[in-house]
Amino acid sequence: MSKRIKRNAVIAATVVILFVCGLFIINYYKSYKRIAYSKEALTLKTYNGTSTSKNLIHNNESIPVLMYHSIPDNSSGNIMEVSKRQFQEEMKYLNDKGYHTLSADEFYDFIVKDKPVPKKSVLVTFDDGYENQYKNAYPILKEYKFHAIMFIITDYLDKGTLYLKSNELKTMSDNGINIESHTTNHAKLDKISYKDQLHNLKDSKDILEKICDKAVRFIAYPYGYFNKDTVTSCQKAGYIMAFTTSGKWANVNKGVYAINRIYIFPQFNLDDFKDRITDPNYGQVVHPIEMIKGAYKTFVK
């Protein structure tokens, strides 16, 4: 192969990688531009006084909501995969540093009712319902007596080895893990009709409630995509809070149907993790070369 051909091949490959990375970044920050504000934001009770304890915070402050996806034994570099070892390290750090992991109800009461929570509080969430969340993440959460929310795609339950089984959901639900909705089929909710959104959200809720014998009141929007019809559908279906993928700390500012969450990536080291749980204005671009590689694997694999 001539030098000219090799050079052109390298240029073409670079352009493809940059394009893929660009798509990832655009999708990642897309929800920032969405009209996410709901009328609930105007009626939420907010704290205007002084806390009686320096160790408690009110809902005039923000807290980090961590977002995980797959927890395999070993990460392939895909941005949706955080290895078991990395997850263990991060949960150990939270435990060692005295962090309080909130339950769904504790988080809701903090945001909506201004019930104070410990200053070092986090909410741990998982999307999609992978089998390894039960095999790898759940034992670690149980070891530290941590709360968490798992947002489940109900159409994927009990199918193959990649996704969770109904009995596993029930076990986790009975042991401190909130099982909530991630729709029936991971639909891009803003691309379907109000009628289809409502049908989707109701079906997912009904299935999970039947499995766990508990009310399902929280939902995470697939891809973080939603619109005004989505918020109306959530209210109609009986959801009291919804989560996006916006990479910022959570607070009352955008209402209960547009709660921010923070991506946790496999490209992070422990210092990056510390930054995200201690600084509301954390640096949102970490290890750009590694992020490009991860984005490439995610979109091209």
Side-chain angles (χ1 to χ4, degrees), residues 5-251:
I5 295 175
K6 287 182 179 179
R7 182 183 62 189
N8 289 340
V10 170
I11 292 173
T14 301
V15 169
V16 170
I17 292 173
L18 290 175
F19 176 74
V20 170
C21 186
L23 286 177
F24 166 74
I25 293 172
I26 289 170
N27 284 324
Y28 179 79
Y29 292 105
K30 212 171 185 180
S31 55
Y32 288 167
K33 296 183 179 180
R34 297 178 181 276
I35 300 175
Y37 301 90
S38 64
K39 62 183 179 181
E40 283 73 20
L42 303 177
T43 59
L44 292 178
K45 179 181 177 182
T46 55
Y47 177 74
N48 295 311
T50 302
S51 175
T52 56
S53 172
K54 293 181 179 180
N55 295 321
L56 297 176
I57 59 172
H58 289 261
N59 69 356
N60 62 321
E61 298 188 55
S62 303
I63 63 174
V65 179
L66 310 182
M67 177 173 53
Y68 292 93
H69 288 79
S70 180
I71 311 294
D73 291 331
N74 298 289
S75 175
S76 67
N78 183 308
I79 58 174
M80 299 301 175
E81 295 181 352
V82 168
S83 70
K84 179 181 177 180
R85 181 203 58 76
Q86 179 182 338
F87 182 72
Q88 169 78 58
E89 183 180 41
E90 291 167 354
M91 294 303 101
K92 183 178 185 300
Y93 179 83
L94 293 179
N95 183 71
D96 291 350
K97 297 301 179 180
Y99 276 85
H100 176 69
T101 56
L102 300 171
S103 68
D105 285 340
E106 285 178 314
F107 181 78
Y108 179 84
D109 287 346
F110 168 73
I111 292 291
V112 176
K113 301 178 182 178
D114 190 33
K115 185 175 181 179
V117 297
K119 187 174 183 179
K120 296 173 76 171
S121 290
V122 298
L123 179 63
V124 181
T125 71
F126 300 82
D127 283 7
D128 300 341
Y130 294 102
E131 173 75 8
N132 56 41
Q133 292 170 356
Y134 177 78
K135 294 288 179 66
N136 291 337
Y138 173 58
I140 294 170
L141 294 169
K142 194 172 181 181
E143 175 186 353
Y144 294 120
K145 297 180 173 60
F146 279 178
H147 294 288
I149 301 178
M150 292 192 176
F151 294 108
I152 307 301
I153 306 169
T154 54
D155 281 359
Y156 297 173
L157 285 172
D158 301 308
K159 293 181 180 178
T161 59
L162 184 59
Y163 292 97
L164 288 162
K165 309 297 185 293
S166 294
N167 65 305
E168 294 168 342
L169 284 190
K170 177 62 174 170
T171 296
M172 291 190 290
S173 177
D174 289 344
N175 288 278
I177 305 299
N178 292 107
I179 303 301
E180 307 293 343
S181 174
H182 201 36
T183 74
T184 60
N185 60 352
H186 210 258
K188 293 181 179 179
L189 294 172
D190 63 334
K191 304 299 183 184
I192 61 178
S193 69
Y194 166 74
K195 181 179 179 181
D196 287 342
Q197 289 190 55
L198 182 59
H199 182 72
N200 191 318
L201 301 190
K202 281 185 173 180
D203 282 356
S204 173
K205 188 176 191 294
D206 290 346
I207 292 168
L208 293 174
E209 288 181 342
K210 183 176 180 180
I211 293 171
C212 297
D213 196 26
K214 292 180 182 178
V216 171
R217 300 173 298 157
F218 301 81
I219 187 169
Y221 304 130
Y223 312 100
Y225 295 173
F226 67 103
N227 55 25
K228 291 181 180 179
D229 283 345
T230 314
V231 174
T232 303
S233 298
C234 286
Q235 295 168 329
K236 185 73 172 177
Y239 294 96
I240 62 174
M241 181 171 279
F243 294 79
T244 71
T245 58
S246 299
K248 295 191 176 186
W249 282 29
N251 53 45

